[in-house]
Amino acid sequence: QVQLVESGGGLVQPGGSLKLSCKASGLRFRFSIYTMAWYRQAPGKPRDVVARMGGDGGGGTYYSDPVKGRFTISRDDYKNTLTLEMNSLKPEDTAIYYCHGHWIDTYWGQGTQVTVSS
């Protein structure tokens, strides 16, 4: 059974930082080949990509404009882990953050809540 399990969400004040992690298990192929991404969904809004990192097949790294320069996506292919470091957080970053993996198959995590509020 494939699982993507996110952790690290929570409540943080504006200007603060959080680090999200996603641990993958049960994948059909090796973790390194998957394109991995973080998406987020705020109440009443569609789910949008936040950052994406290609796997062995390339694809590079992508950041959405709202998070460029503040968020950093990284991966540890030995630990099957995807990370999102979020700095200078703003109230508009409040959302449920989802881990996403794609290589032939597509997988989603259950999501972790990030709330930025004073």
Side-chain angles (χ1 to χ4, degrees):
Q1 181 183 358
V2 176
Q3 284 190 309
L4 299 181
V5 180
E6 301 100 334
S7 61
L11 173 65
V12 63
Q13 292 187 341
S17 299
L18 277 177
K19 182 177 179 179
L20 305 183
S21 294
C22 171
K23 174 72 173 178
S25 61
L27 295 172
R28 186 151 64 110
F29 305 102
R30 65 184 187 277
F31 179 79
S32 64
I33 204 169
Y34 286 81
T35 292
M36 299 299 298
W38 289 97
Y39 283 71
R40 68 185 181 186
Q41 186 168 22
K45 294 189 177 181
R47 190 176 297 188
D48 289 327
V49 62
V50 172
R52 182 174 58 238
M53 178 171 277
D56 293 345
T61 302
Y62 164 85
Y63 295 95
S64 65
D65 285 343
V67 309
K68 204 172 292 183
R70 299 188 297 121
F71 291 11
T72 302
I73 188 172
S74 61
R75 63 192 295 164
D76 185 332
D77 291 336
Y78 293 100
K79 296 182 178 179
N80 289 9
T81 300
L82 181 74
T83 299
L84 185 69
E85 295 190 55
M86 306 184 294
N87 298 312
S88 303
L89 283 161
K90 306 175 181 180
E92 51 263 44
D93 294 318
T94 295
I96 299 175
Y97 284 70
Y98 296 90
C99 179
H100 175 272
H102 176 73
W103 177 256
I104 299 177
D105 304 316
T106 297
Y107 304 106
W108 290 94
Q110 83 287 350
T112 185
Q113 176 70 48
V114 172
T115 302
V116 185
S117 175
S118 54

